[in-house]
Amino acid sequence: MTENVVKRQVILDTETTGISTAEDHRIIEIGCVEMVNRRLTGQTFHQYINPHREIDAGAIEVHGITNEFLADKPSFEDVAEDFLQFIDGAELIIHNAPFDVGFIDHELKKLKGEKRRVNTLCSVLDTLKMARDKYPGQKNNLDALCKRYDVDNSNRELHGALLDAEILADVYLAMTGGQVAMLLAAEEVEPKTSSENETEEMLTAVPPRKLRVIRASEEELAAHEAMLEKVQKSSGGECVWLRES
């Protein structure tokens, strides 16, 4: 008997005060959504964080989060343990992972006590690298991938960590298997039977009846052949319907 393997993944995004930890920029928002065996569980981690420093004007234009809004929010050290517990042991799915992981490690380095790094707690999958490998030379930011995979991002007027994590979950599923509509694991899902049984059930559910067959007339067949010849000519002889099987 094959043992069922549970794969836990956490789709993660952050917003920051700026773009470089070398200038001691800090995390101001973390958003995570949990997925187990390619299904959202409904479990999330979302936290705004007071960085105790000014946010760059350019960063505010991207995410819309202001210093005033963060004034009464907790520090990273106040939420660190809850955050680390949420991601511990999971595979993190991040778009442009070096950026977010670098900022998380920067925050962890500031904490007192045992020094920890993301790669000692989790494995990391970078969807930006995946996209660049799959679509070299093309735009591969999150908005571009949403358009490519027909993922709805109409609510994304500004960047937001939790919203972007939710959108990235859809994009990741589309990139890795074509499944975008995700069910919550907590929902009751009817067990699937084999494909043969499913087909049999579908057929038996249809009441038997005699189907009327309508054949094309001579005029319609001639018009069809004429249209294929036009397609053949305009495509330089590449009309697939005229190729020999």
Side-chain angles (χ1 to χ4, degrees), residues 39-40 179 182-193:
R39 294 183 184 277
L40 288 176
Q179 176 190 357
M182 297 177 292
L183 297 173
L184 292 179
E187 293 178 348
E188 292 185 5
V189 181
E190 185 176 343
K192 290 186 178 180
T193 61

Side-chain angles (χ1 to χ4, degrees), residues 47-109:
Q47 183 65 61
Y48 290 105
I49 296 168
N50 186 337
H52 301 289
R53 62 154 293 160
E54 292 296 305
I55 305 172
D56 281 359
I60 295 176
E61 290 180 4
V62 172
H63 49 60
I65 302 172
T66 63
N67 296 286
E68 292 75 20
F69 175 76
L70 298 175
D72 61 348
K73 302 302 185 288
S75 303
F76 182 84
E77 62 182 345
D78 298 323
V79 302
E81 292 307 317
D82 287 341
F83 168 61
L84 295 177
Q85 184 177 353
F86 189 86
I87 67 171
D88 189 22
E91 178 183 50
L92 297 184
I93 299 173
I94 309 173
H95 200 68
N96 192 15
F99 178 87
D100 299 86
V101 171
F103 267 91
I104 296 170
D105 283 345
H106 183 63
E107 295 289 350
L108 293 176
K109 192 182 300 183

